[in-house]
Amino acid sequence: MEALRFQVVGEAFKKKPLDVKAPSERPCEYFGKKVFNREKMYKYLPKDVYEKMVDVIDNGARLDRTVADAVAAGIKQWATENGVTHYTHWFQPLTEGTAEKHDSFIEHDGKGGMVEEFSGKLLVQQEPDASSFPSGGIRSTFEARGYSAWDPTSPVFIIDDTLCIPTVFISYSGEALDYKAPLLRALHAVNVAATDVCHYFDPTVKKVTSNLGWEQEYFLVDEGLYAARPDLLLTGRTLMGHDSAKNQQMDDHYFGSIPERVAAFMRDLEIQALELGVPCKTRHNEVAPNQFELAPIFEETNLAVDHNMLLMSVMKRVARKHGFRVLLHEKPFAGINGSGKHNNWSLSTDNGVLLHAPGKTPEANLRFATFIVETLMGVYKHNGLLKASIMSATNAHRLGANEAPPAIVSSFLGKQVSELLDHIETADKDFLAMAGKQGLKMDIPEIPELLIDNTDRNRTSPFAFTGNRFEFRAVGSEANCASAMIALNSAVAEALVDFKKRVDARIPEFEKKLAGTEHSAKFHAIIDVLREDIKTCKPIRFDGNGYSDEWVIEAEKRGLDVEKSCPKIFERYLDDASVKMFESLGVMTKKELEARNEVKWETYTKKIQIEARVLGDLSMNHIIPVATSYQSQLLKNVENMVAVFPVDKAEKLNARNLKIIEEIAERTSAIEKGVEELVNARKLANKIEGEHEKAIAYHDKVEPKLDEIRYQIDKLELIVDDALWPLPKYRELLFIR
């Protein structure tokens, strides 16, 4: 074991970066090379088919089967010209990953030979075996039928020799078994609701798009060191390991010079990502050693989610090529920053207006205030649900420490926007006046076009306004962004629907009061409803320190969700308000929500169960044998001292060794006892039949014992001979040479 560990560490430090040859073209020339985008559509499809496809993508028109056949023919021609031999429906089941089954183009030609075929039927729909995907009780294991259906708004792409077709995945009885189907429904709901509200300010708006810019944080670890850590290999995080004397405390890694091997990996990753249409923009060192970030340009939310899932898959493959392993676990190392995936979210109109950005006219700024306030209304009303949407067994380790936002959803607006909302709420009756037939004057402070630098950032805010968008910072690095985006877009859509309903009801009242134009009454009604909502959602606004104990007490007084237990947080999906919202918007039914929660509880239990079994194995088969072996060496040394020196001198010389011998005995005994208690706690929890109650038992009774055992192991690491310690240490894992 000793020789193996030092050989692995030594090899890791000797590795040289691969020579990555960039394409001869500029990035803008090979961007989307492996994507059947509009440029390829225009080239490979008949003109009328191309126009129909654009209508499907842009306006949600129904895809005709004859059009599908023509599209399939064009895609096949392009794919075969690029060496493609297989195709797959690429979907996102409830496993937090992606799934694909590859089929070749070949079919019998009826003459003893083969012919390559790809029809519209094969493009539009497949029937994969769905028996082993999580369904939460919607379907029995023996009922294996499920359907994948093409999502034409997300373009097909090529990976190696395979054509990948983004699809939704539904059960035989029609319930969604994936993330994409409810995401598309939520995006449709917010489009309809936001477009209706936009018509108060601009009747020409035809569509509102939800935009997403994710920031993917990740760790890199040398592949040899990774293979020598069974806990990393099996759970994605280190279940033991004492702090390195130097980690992130010097702040020298953040935005520092990128290590040569890592830079080579990043170049290779960006080339492949750009060819796949992922618009990579930013790369840099993050705060913790070996932690990095990649961020793209904003995209439409559905496409952005697909690109993030694709990127996570590609980066794992590219990393291995460079002798690395990517760690996407939110907290792979204790004591240093975890990894998030900040979701920068905004709404924009088809004529290019950002709805969360102030404008140059009073009307535009009233629209700005409206969308800010109604976003806050959605977040306030469903703050517990939004927390549930980002919660997981892995992300729970990250939240509330080392710059990660706390597990209480609140929103930081900054001084300027906060003062604007306070002014609207408290202004007198002359606050709003009409200027001419269609003009509007508001007695509000001047709002500059860009608010990005109007105030300092609050890094403890889970949902912060950052100038023209909101940043949902609590999303975890290995999560599917769709989970948070389904909840957020649905919550905002519901708030906008309710807002419009109340405004429409008050317009006639103000027409009577003002005896003026409908235009004047409309804006007075908007202001009237906004004032109510500003007061209602005020508890969600918080600009202070989200890490403080005082905030937890204050948040509870405000009625915000302060629950810390991951399995109990998931319960928010089944609150009456959550079910009502999802069903009224057509996003998910109660049956689908119940099924998803069953999956969440089961997944939580399995993750903790695996960690417990891995820690028990490492403790009994790695740590205790090594510690007792070292203890035996010390005992032999004590015996030799007694044999060589006089008793008095031997006692003095042996004092240190005897102290270590005693400490090893105490700590190994505590570890053995802890592992026994851990096994018994698992056995009791496993007897519980309901997934909800079992997950709670694993959280309350099993998970705390992991930290108790780890504490003893980490103390042993400090006293056992370094040459004997079996696992690569933090000081070796965290620094790439």
Side-chain angles (χ1 to χ4, degrees):
M1 182 64 71
E2 170 189 345
L4 174 62
R5 173 176 164 234
F6 284 103
Q7 179 183 351
V8 168
V9 173
E11 290 299 319
F13 289 163
K14 291 177 186 176
K15 288 187 177 176
K16 301 295 182 183
L18 290 181
D19 181 20
V20 179
K21 294 184 179 180
S24 57
E25 313 100 315
R26 301 294 299 165
C28 60
E29 295 176 301
Y30 62 81
F31 177 74
K33 177 181 178 181
K34 295 183 178 181
V35 181
F36 195 72
N37 52 24
R38 296 198 185 202
E39 178 187 358
K40 312 289 193 329
M41 286 167 53
Y42 188 80
K43 178 179 178 181
Y44 287 92
L45 301 181
K47 183 179 179 181
D48 63 324
V49 174
Y50 169 79
E51 290 174 350
K52 289 179 180 178
M53 274 300 298
V54 170
D55 191 31
V56 169
I57 295 170
D58 290 347
N59 304 315
R62 185 171 294 277
L63 182 68
D64 185 81
R65 181 52 60 90
T66 57
V67 173
D69 286 333
V71 173
I75 289 176
K76 177 177 172 292
Q77 181 183 348
W78 167 71
T80 52
E81 288 175 5
N82 284 274
V84 170
T85 58
H86 289 68
Y87 67 93
T88 182
H89 276 201
W90 183 83
F91 57 96
Q92 301 166 29
L94 303 178
T95 59
E96 302 301 324
T98 58
E100 52 198 67
K101 180 189 72 169
H102 297 200
D103 288 310
S104 70
F105 287 139
I106 61 170
E107 300 286 350
H108 284 293
D109 66 356
K111 303 175 183 177
M114 290 289 181
V115 63
E116 290 190 347
E117 288 187 356
F118 184 60
S119 65
K121 180 180 179 181
L122 297 176
L123 169 65
V124 170
Q125 183 175 305
Q126 271 192 328
E127 186 187 331
D129 183 347
S131 60
S132 295
F133 289 113
S135 70
I138 281 182
R139 38 180 310 290
S140 302
T141 301
F142 62 84
E143 296 170 332
R145 182 166 291 179
Y147 294 105
S148 54
W150 178 35
D151 170 20
T153 64
S154 186
V156 301
F157 54 91
I158 295 172
I159 295 285
D160 297 330
D161 64 351
T162 303
L163 179 72
C164 299
I165 306 163
T167 64
V168 300
F169 182 51
I170 60 175
S171 71
Y172 176 72
S173 49
E175 292 88 3
L177 295 174
D178 69 343
Y179 283 103
K180 181 183 276 286
L183 176 63
L184 290 172
R185 297 168 189 162
L187 297 178
H188 173 72
V190 81
N191 167 30
V192 172
T195 300
D196 285 346
V197 172
C198 280
H199 288 164
Y200 288 139
F201 309 97
D202 182 359
T204 67
V205 172
K206 296 179 181 178
K207 182 180 180 181
V208 171
T209 299
S210 169
N211 308 298
L212 171 62
W214 41 263
E215 303 170 26
Q216 181 67 60
E217 295 176 342
Y218 60 95
F219 281 86
L220 288 176
V221 174
D222 188 273
E223 188 164 26
L225 300 177
Y226 174 88
R229 290 284 310 219
D231 49 355
L232 275 180
L233 184 68
L234 298 175
T235 73
R237 75 177 181 110
T238 53
L239 299 176
M240 60 190 71
H242 199 278
D243 289 349
S244 171
K246 179 184 184 298
N247 47 52
Q248 69 184 45
Q249 67 265 50
M250 297 300 294
D251 301 319
D252 54 346
H253 189 259
Y254 190 48
F255 281 19
S257 177
I258 299 172
E260 189 178 5
R261 280 181 65 201
V262 177
F265 156 75
M266 288 179 168
R267 285 193 295 272
D268 199 356
L269 174 62
E270 285 184 5
I271 290 167
Q272 295 193 37
L274 288 166
E275 288 182 340
L276 289 165
V278 183
C280 301
K281 177 70 173 178
T282 302
R283 65 187 184 200
H284 64 83
N285 289 4
E286 256 300 335
V287 176
N290 281 17
Q291 188 185 34
F292 308 95
E293 180 179 297
L294 182 152
I297 299 171
F298 277 62
E299 297 181 284
E300 184 275 327
T301 295
N302 177 47
L303 182 59
V305 169
D306 281 0
H307 278 165
N308 182 248
M309 298 302 293
L310 175 59
L311 180 91
M312 289 194 290
S313 175
V314 172
M315 72 193 309
K316 291 176 183 177
R317 184 176 59 174
V318 174
R320 297 196 69 174
K321 174 182 169 184
H322 289 260
F324 290 124
R325 284 297 187 114
V326 170
L327 303 182
L328 293 174
H329 192 291
E330 283 80 4
K331 196 73 170 179
F333 303 102
I336 62 175
N337 273 24
S339 295
K341 179 152 49 192
H342 303 170
N343 277 205
N344 295 278
W345 170 85
S346 64
L347 297 174
S348 61
T349 67
D350 56 312
N351 52 15
V353 174
L354 280 172
L355 296 177
H356 291 105
K360 297 181 179 179
T361 66
E363 287 92 340
N365 286 327
L366 181 58
R367 180 198 61 219
F368 162 70
T370 296
F371 279 91
I372 290 288
V373 172
E374 295 314 311
T375 296
L376 293 177
M377 280 291 289
V379 173
Y380 169 62
K381 184 176 180 181
H382 296 287
N383 69 92
L385 173 65
L386 287 172
K387 181 163 71 172
S389 75
I390 56 86
M391 186 54 66
S392 66
T394 54
N395 202 23
H397 292 290
R398 162 184 169 258
L399 295 176
N402 300 97
E403 288 198 359
I408 300 173
V409 174
S410 64
S411 184
F412 169 78
L413 298 179
K415 181 179 179 181
Q416 197 169 22
V417 178
S418 292
E419 288 179 350
L420 167 66
L421 299 189
D422 291 342
H423 186 75
I424 293 174
E425 178 189 351
T426 59
D428 61 25
K429 62 181 180 180
D430 295 324
F431 166 73
L432 178 67
M434 303 312 298
K437 199 167 185 181
Q438 294 294 321
L440 173 70
K441 293 174 82 174
M442 288 194 299
D443 172 28
I444 60 173
E446 181 181 352
I447 308 174
E449 273 192 79
L450 296 178
L451 287 155
I452 294 174
D453 298 321
N454 82 90
T455 187
D456 197 5
R457 296 185 68 186
N458 186 326
R459 300 191 66 83
T460 71
S461 177
F463 194 76
F465 181 67
T466 55
N468 56 11
R469 63 190 182 274
F470 282 91
E471 183 179 14
F472 197 3
R473 301 185 67 248
V475 183
S477 57
E478 72 174 0
N480 187 325
C481 298
S483 179
M485 290 296 101
I486 291 167
L488 177 58
N489 283 284
S490 297
V492 174
E494 183 191 52
L496 290 170
V497 168
D498 182 63
F499 172 80
K500 186 175 187 302
K501 181 179 179 181
R502 288 181 290 141
V503 169
D504 286 349
R506 293 185 197 185
I507 289 175
E509 298 176 17
F510 278 99
E511 286 178 340
K512 293 178 182 179
K513 289 180 182 178
L514 299 172
T517 66
E518 180 184 350
H519 188 73
S520 173
K522 174 181 65 177
F523 286 119
H524 276 83
I526 289 172
I527 291 289
D528 200 46
V529 174
L530 276 184
R531 283 174 166 165
E532 288 182 357
D533 289 352
I534 290 171
K535 292 177 184 177
T536 300
C537 70
K538 191 169 285 186
I540 204 69
R541 291 161 51 188
F542 178 65
D543 294 354
N545 180 11
Y547 292 159
S548 69
D549 294 335
E550 292 79 9
W551 168 233
V552 177
I553 298 170
E554 171 64 21
E556 190 168 14
K557 289 180 181 178
R558 295 186 183 195
L560 302 182
D561 192 309
V562 298
E563 178 61 60
K564 294 181 179 179
S565 168
C566 185
K568 292 181 180 178
I569 289 170
F570 291 149
E571 295 171 13
R572 300 288 73 75
Y573 272 98
L574 300 179
D575 287 347
D576 290 342
S578 299
V579 174
K580 180 182 177 182
M581 176 189 72
F582 284 125
E583 289 195 327
S584 67
L585 296 173
V587 175
M588 284 185 281
T589 64
K590 185 176 182 179
K591 182 179 180 181
E592 288 174 316
L593 290 167
E594 290 172 339
R596 283 164 190 267
N597 261 29
E598 286 291 306
V599 172
K600 287 178 181 291
W601 288 318
E602 183 180 7
T603 300
Y604 177 87
T605 295
K606 288 179 177 178
K607 284 184 178 290
I608 305 302
Q609 187 179 67
I610 291 170
E611 288 188 352
R613 295 180 68 179
V614 170
L615 183 59
D617 173 53
L618 290 176
S619 298
M620 302 306 294
N621 296 315
H622 288 67
I623 304 305
I624 288 180
V626 166
T628 52
S629 176
Y630 181 54
Q631 186 184 47
S632 297
Q633 290 182 19
L634 294 178
L635 285 167
K636 184 67 175 177
N637 184 267
V638 168
E639 292 176 359
N640 292 339
M641 288 287 190
V642 172
V644 172
F645 296 102
V647 175
D648 290 347
K649 191 168 185 178
E651 286 180 356
K652 291 180 181 179
L653 294 173
N654 281 328
R656 177 181 177 277
N657 284 348
L658 289 170
K659 183 179 179 181
I660 295 175
I661 289 168
E662 183 179 2
E663 184 176 351
I664 290 175
E666 290 173 350
R667 297 200 183 281
T668 54
S669 176
I671 292 170
E672 288 178 333
K673 181 182 178 184
V675 170
E676 183 180 355
E677 291 176 351
L678 181 65
V679 171
N680 290 334
R682 276 178 31 228
K683 287 180 178 178
L684 288 174
N686 290 339
K687 292 179 180 179
I688 300 172
E689 293 192 6
E691 293 297 342
H692 182 203
E693 293 74 17
K694 184 186 293 185
I696 291 174
Y698 261 87
H699 176 274
D700 295 347
K701 303 298 183 180
V702 178
E703 188 175 16
K705 298 191 180 300
L706 300 179
D707 290 335
E708 294 171 8
I709 295 170
R710 176 179 188 147
Y711 174 80
Q712 301 295 340
I713 294 174
D714 290 356
K715 290 296 183 181
L716 281 178
E717 185 182 317
L718 291 177
I719 60 174
V720 172
D721 186 346
D722 182 64
L724 295 178
W725 197 254
L727 305 175
K729 298 182 177 182
Y730 272 25
R731 67 169 184 254
E732 296 153 356
L733 291 166
L734 286 172
F735 297 95
I736 291 172
R737 298 294 189 271

